[in-house]
Amino acid sequence: MATTSEDNDAGVSAPPQVHTRAYQQELLEESLRRNLIIALDTGSGKTHIAVLRMKHEAERHSKKVSWFIAPTVALVEQQYDVIKTAIPVSVGKVSGASEPNQWKDASLWRRILTTHQIMVTTPQVLLDALHHAYVDMGSDVGLLVFDEAHHATGKHPYNMIMKNFYFSLPPRTNLTRATDRVRPVVLGLTASPIYGGNVDAAFRDLETNLDSIIRSTRKNRGELAEHVYRPEFKHVLYASPIHTWEVMPSKNYQALKAVVDELNIEDDPYVISLRSRLAKLRPTDDRHRIDQQLSKAIDKEDTFSHKGLRDFVRAAEEICIELGPWAADWYVAKVIERGKVAANPYNNIMSAWQEKEKRYLLSIISKVRVTTPPSDADSIMNGITPKVRALVDSLIVEEGLFRSRDEDYSGLVFVTRRDTVIALAELLRRIPETAQLFRLGCLLGSSSSFKRHSFLDITRNILEESQADTLRDFKIGDKNLIVSTSVAEEGIDIQACGSVIRFDPPPNVVAWAQSRGRARRKRSSFIIMFEETGPQRVREWEDTERKMMLAYNDPRRDAMISVADEDFDDMDGYVEFEVASTGALLTLHSAIPHLNHFCAVIPSGGQESHVPIYELDPPDYVEGWHSLPNPTPTHYMGPWGATVSLPRALPKHLRRFTTPQIHLSKRKAQQHAAYQAYVQLYQAGLLDNHLLPLSTAIEPDKKEEVEAMLAEVAKRASTARVTIQVDPWAVSEDSSAWFAHEVTVTGLPNMRMLTRRPLPAFAQEDFPVFYIPKIGEATVEILRTDPAPVDEDLVRRAKEYTYRLFSMLYSSRMARDRLEFSYLFLPTSSWPGEGSWETRRKWQQKRYSKGLTNHPEGRYVANAAELGRQFSYPKDLALVRGIGKFDKPLELLSWRYDALSPDEEEKFREQYYAYTDLQITYPLMVVRTLPKRRNFLVPFTLETTDKLHPAPTGDLPFFLHPQYALVELASRDELQYALMLPSILRWLSNALTADALRTTLFLKTPVFNTPLPLLLTAITAPASQELSHYQRLETLGDTVLKFIASNQLYAAFPLWHEGYLSRKKDHAVANSSLAKEAVQKGLYKWIIRDQFVPRKWKPHSATPLQSPVEEMADEREEEAQPAHDKHKTVVKGEKDGKGKKKKAEELSTKMLADVVESLIGAAYEHGGFDLAISCAERFGLGLSWKKLPQRIEEMHKVEDLDDIPEQLALVEQMIDYQFKRRTFLVQALTHASYQGDSAVMSLERLEFLGDSALDMVVTHYLYHAAGKNYSPGYMHIKKESAVNSHILAYVCLSTSLTVQSVMPTWAPETGLATVDDSQRVHLWQCLLHSSHRVLEDQTLTFARFEKHGPAIGQALREDRIYPWAALTSLQAPKFISDMVESILGAVYIDSMGSLDAVRKVMRSLGLMQILERVVVEDVDVLHPVSRLAIWAAKQDPQKKIEYKREKVKGKVKCTVFMDEEELLSVTATYRSRVSEDEVRFTAAEQAIRKLEVLGVDMDEVKLVDEDQEEQVELGDAPEARW
């Protein structure tokens, strides 16, 4: 933290370029010796002293924290920014604005204290944490800093912290160790250490309360005077008001007052409601409370509606007197206009208003006959007071003085009343002289409470800008005059003003000093407006200030001993309760808020939150006071008692607590009652040892579930003519040998498999898991048993067995008695029960050969009735069916011997309606259809929890007549094999295809050793509908290919600029280039794209009749799909060398390119970049391929620089990476405009390499994101969130470092001294350039970053939707985002190609955290333009969305049209090409909200083919890729 002449107590956001001043060093050294309250003028740099003091504390490596307390949320926010910028330690922040649930969680507080060295909070946060013993002041806090320390009086939390927790600790001594539990050091900061006029009493109280001495500089007063510019004091006299309270010339005021004067409190809905409730209640405590409320409402007439309306009248009166009738007329009209909107029952603007109150207020204000005030200048000027005229004249004079000095004017007008601020600002905007000179803003305070306060809360809605916006615009010069209440007097980080005008005199010396301190520019002025006949207290305030300065500069006071701790609380029974185990403390002052919190967390069933109810003893009013004929107010002065009643959810003995009538005030009585109640709640076990409700917990946010998004690769029209897919079972015509293998399936006996050539030696991990009903997850292995061919007898038996096995289920699609299969099967040995089945088959064959069978029996299919009679109705029959040609195969459950019931018999005969003379004989067969599962490669559904007994299909058992049924003479094991073999053969067919690729294309290359499952995935097209296909690998491989190609080119062509490198890379990796290489290498033959349809499956014939693709086409024709399907094989008239016709098939070039990329991705997954390069090298792609270590060594063949800029060390600290060769960093930071002597090239080449490294890191992370399994489309949009130019610019702008340095300085009093010269340096400032345009772009971009950056940062940390439009609003030039990529490129080379180093730097920049949150929390990153386009395309009928952009007079406007009708428009200042994108993105977001576009089905998202992408220019939206 450094200080400038313009530095205020809150510091400034831009890094100033100065050093610590002598008077600051003097007071810092004094604060190291004793507790100190530093009293310096506003703008003198008090905060800088505190920062240095905390820095000193942090450097002591104490385990205790420094605790900085600021009285308001706004001060906490700005002081936190100052401290974290200035001190390189962890700084924590908690304030009421963040709803600090931390005080409800002991473990979280402990974690905060152990991981932070400095905490910045509001005092109430610390006080609550101390009360609940989450923080122990003696053990946890080493330094306590009080900002605006003069608040430490009375019952302010500052004083409560000291009173309840500081003074009870042992004092520090010279023997105190760092870990001792003692009082922390106290440091106070204030510009006005007194309230009131008695300096001695004020000093004594403040010093006693903070256990400190008040000091200002004594040795360096001259230097202080040089840096604190006291403004020129002026006073302006104005004539007394010409209006009186009795006669007001405002017509609207008179109309309003006439209506309000006629109000009757009995008509108020609150009073009516109380009377109604009272009439229904019996004499109970509740009735007594209602009676008291009713009497009070009638006596005070302070109901929400009546009090609000009277306040409205009073505000209008004051405005009329202070500003004149025109302002009063405007104010009344404006408030009534807003009031009518707010009171409308059909809106929810003022949600705290009850419906009856809305209707009542609407009925009243509707009676006011409002006259619209004239808008012409003459009428306005005729309707202003002399006071306003005097203000206008003063402003004009002040602005002219500044203009004459060629300085920009900035002014602040302090007004006492909030409503007067609003009306005065409107007047100044309407008066011609001021309207032309000033750009006005208003400050009313930052309250955002939604509680019921006053009817006039609606005036907050009159302001169109927030306090933060107004302050920001004032700071950057968009506004030059602010009209404010006292909120701007103290603490708020407000720009130093040229003139400060007190429209109303300050009420005390503090307000005098604080408001004067805002005028601290050189040659500034401080003006107070006085009524000519009124009191003028300037001399009195100046005298008080002089006494104050003499007091804290008096050396004799140093020896004064603090006054003993007085009884802060009066003698009215002060008590406190401490939990011994934790130290949690309950006091009278904390009892009521604690009890309120306890009641609020009790479940309320969706109704209003519970609250404790207090009753006074004696009551304020006698029973029925509201109904007395002439009620008179009571004037009882005490003592008081109180009773508190808690919600009925508690047991009776914990619902009501009473304190006797002994207390001197109502508040004390209520506090004692609440205290008693809370102690009893703790003793009853309803509070924990931190005195918090047991139910207290931080509920997690209910996050919306994100829909699964899949993006399929679009099929392109561009095609390449290629031959058909390879047949993995095909063999040469002269081959006749068969080779044996053994098939092992979990739960089944082994089966021998014969193939025409030996199968590859598959590894155990190559085989997939099969999912089989009644077995579960089964493993399958196929092992070669004998290298020699088998004998012909075995082949013959295997052919017959295979035919019988497959014909059980697939005979309708098999050629009758044709035994020429591509694979054969035969049991390895005698299976269990095989003897019985062999006996049955011989019996049937004997019947068949003798002609004893009937149609449709066969050699292995028997009539069920005949079989049953012959073999006593066996129960192990596996497969039965009816005798009809199309009857389905069935599973036998049992034989039914019992007679059918009448209902069963009726259904049975309906089943056999064709057999009119059906004779029912017993037993009958009880059967059901076979399980529908046929593809055993597909996992069980998530709903099937019992894998061994899958969920029933819904088919119920039924009866078959044995006489009309057939039995397949096959065992259950054979049936199971018949069911499973299609799935096994499907996998084996695909595996053989992948193996053929491996042993052909990649033979004698390192890629040969890539695991089969990876290769299989890489060559499986999505069209095959397999569970695993190449899309994800293709996405990974695409990035890997670009990365390794970028490396090859960067190293191979060291003199090429980025344009050449990009063009060459794009050509090498283009789809057309990849597809061409795929065709030349014959890759298309191994692409698996035929579908596995189990219910259409048939055994593969050994004769080369059909290819898998032809079978696929036939199956599609059977399913009545169009004959012109683009995957259909077409036969052309071409002939090969043997005279046979060659078959040609259309394949998309994108599919061919995708397989090349997926193979590269598979190689990378198995063997990293070296294997990926080996795979890419096999396809050539027009590049000379070398391994990355070789290429990195080539990249290092550059000369080191002798003259390295000093700021490089700062960049290394910012990115947390130490370069071995800083030459690369110099290049990464060198802009093309740089005209220095450096020999390095500009950053574009490194940006080219860094871009690919960034993509590689991000894609690798997304591909391997745990539990996500992202589809390509999802990976793409997630990746865009971390690599788009807007986010890169944001991280560049947000990366900075505080440079700690010292420099010598000389002062007359001290001579030559060394002082701190710290400053904040940003990454973007480290760019080496020689261009004024670059400098201007940097400055403007950083100004926009200061305006929008905090909101963007919060959105990136917290929002569920990615802030595309907000990021675009930065309008950062490309070189800012390029800096990030070039730095990543430099790190990559310097680290010898370590992506881990790149990843670490990305984390230092915050990129990895953004990406991780996008993934872990499923942040919606779909671009608004894309979202709107997808939504429009899905409408029925489809909607047409168009964006029309136009530039007019320095503005850019974007209009959204839907179906050629204007939907909305957005306008912004035109600054660059990026401005057009900003308005387009913002317009899309607004259209989304207007059309209520919510979820978008990501299945609709299609990725754009890179070959068809247009060249992306600066600021192009990421959605251009969709």
Side-chain angles (χ1 to χ4, degrees), residues 511 543 574 705 748 841 1000 1172 1221 1284 1305 1421 1434 1471-1472:
D543 290 344
Y574 180 80
E705 294 188 3
L748 293 177
R841 283 192 286 268
T1000 305
R1221 301 186 65 190
N1284 71 82
T1305 186
V1421 295
K1434 292 178 61 180
R1471 295 185 178 91
S1472 67

Side-chain angles (χ1 to χ4, degrees), residues 372-427:
T372 303
S375 58
D376 61 283
D378 290 341
S379 299
I380 295 173
M381 295 303 295
N382 291 332
I384 64 174
T385 61
K387 186 175 184 180
V388 173
R389 181 69 261 180
L391 172 66
V392 170
D393 292 342
S394 297
L395 286 171
I396 293 172
V397 169
E398 292 296 313
E399 196 278 337
L401 287 174
F402 277 85
R403 185 154 32 85
S404 67
R405 298 194 295 258
D406 199 23
E407 296 180 21
D408 292 333
Y409 175 80
S410 59
L412 187 59
V413 179
F414 281 107
V415 180
T416 300
R417 302 168 190 84
R418 186 181 69 181
D419 299 278
T420 307
V421 168
I422 299 171
L424 178 59
E426 184 66 21
L427 260 181

Side-chain angles (χ1 to χ4, degrees), residues 804-817:
R804 179 171 67 82
L805 186 68
F806 285 145
S807 63
M808 280 194 293
L809 297 173
Y810 315 110
S811 59
S812 63
R813 293 187 292 279
M814 293 170 57
R816 187 176 180 83
D817 295 329

Side-chain angles (χ1 to χ4, degrees), residues 710-716 1273 1276 1430 1497-1505 1519 1521-1522:
L710 301 172
E712 292 188 356
V713 178
K715 299 177 177 63
R716 300 298 174 198
H1276 175 79
I1430 295 168
D1497 186 359
M1498 287 306 298
D1499 287 339
E1500 302 293 330
V1501 178
K1502 305 295 182 183
L1503 291 179
V1504 172
D1505 187 348
E1519 85 282 1
R1521 297 177 58 87
W1522 294 87

Side-chain angles (χ1 to χ4, degrees), residues 1084-1195:
Y1084 51 83
K1085 295 183 293 186
W1086 297 291
I1087 300 176
I1088 298 169
R1089 49 196 186 279
D1090 60 305
Q1091 293 181 17
F1092 176 42
V1093 185
R1095 295 189 179 276
K1096 302 289 184 179
W1097 184 86
K1098 61 184 177 182
H1100 190 277
S1101 173
T1103 305
L1105 293 176
Q1106 287 184 312
S1107 72
V1109 177
E1110 288 178 292
E1111 292 177 12
M1112 174 189 71
D1114 290 346
E1115 290 166 0
R1116 288 179 174 176
E1117 288 176 359
E1118 290 177 18
E1119 293 175 302
Q1121 291 205 4
H1124 60 271
D1125 187 282
K1126 66 172 65 179
H1127 290 280
K1128 182 180 177 182
T1129 300
V1130 291
V1131 179
K1132 300 296 180 183
E1134 300 175 32
K1135 295 185 179 181
D1136 61 11
K1138 297 181 180 180
K1140 295 183 179 179
K1141 289 183 178 179
K1142 291 179 66 176
K1143 296 173 181 176
E1145 182 185 351
E1146 294 185 341
L1147 279 177
S1148 71
T1149 54
K1150 189 169 193 321
M1151 180 185 290
L1152 294 167
D1154 285 350
V1155 174
V1156 175
E1157 291 173 335
S1158 62
L1159 286 169
I1160 293 173
Y1164 168 77
E1165 276 291 275
H1166 178 59
F1169 292 115
D1170 284 352
L1171 195 60
I1173 290 174
S1174 295
C1175 184
E1177 187 176 13
R1178 187 68 184 87
F1179 294 97
L1181 304 179
L1183 300 179
S1184 175
W1185 296 95
K1186 294 182 182 179
K1187 296 297 187 289
L1188 289 187
Q1190 294 176 268
R1191 291 302 193 189
I1192 298 297
E1193 288 181 4
E1194 294 173 2
M1195 295 177 193

Side-chain angles (χ1 to χ4, degrees), residues 56 215 508 516 521 756 912 928 1028 1072 1136 1237 1259 1337:
H56 179 273
R215 272 286 308 274
N508 52 50
R516 184 191 62 188
R521 285 171 58 179
R756 299 298 295 274
Y912 288 92
R928 69 180 174 196
S1028 178
S1072 56
D1136 61 11
D1237 295 329
T1259 302
D1337 286 344

Side-chain angles (χ1 to χ4, degrees), residues 52 64 90 128 169 191 287 311 467 510 574 590 603 663 678 762 820 907 928 1056 1107 1132 1180 1301 1358 1440:
L52 294 175
K64 297 183 180 182
S90 54
D128 289 335
L169 294 170
R287 190 183 193 282
D311 290 344
Q467 173 176 301
V510 173
Y574 180 80
S590 64
H663 304 288
Y678 213 69
F762 296 115
E820 300 303 322
K907 292 180 181 179
R928 69 180 174 196
W1056 279 16
S1107 72
K1132 300 296 180 183
S1301 60
E1358 301 174 6
K1440 182 180 179 182

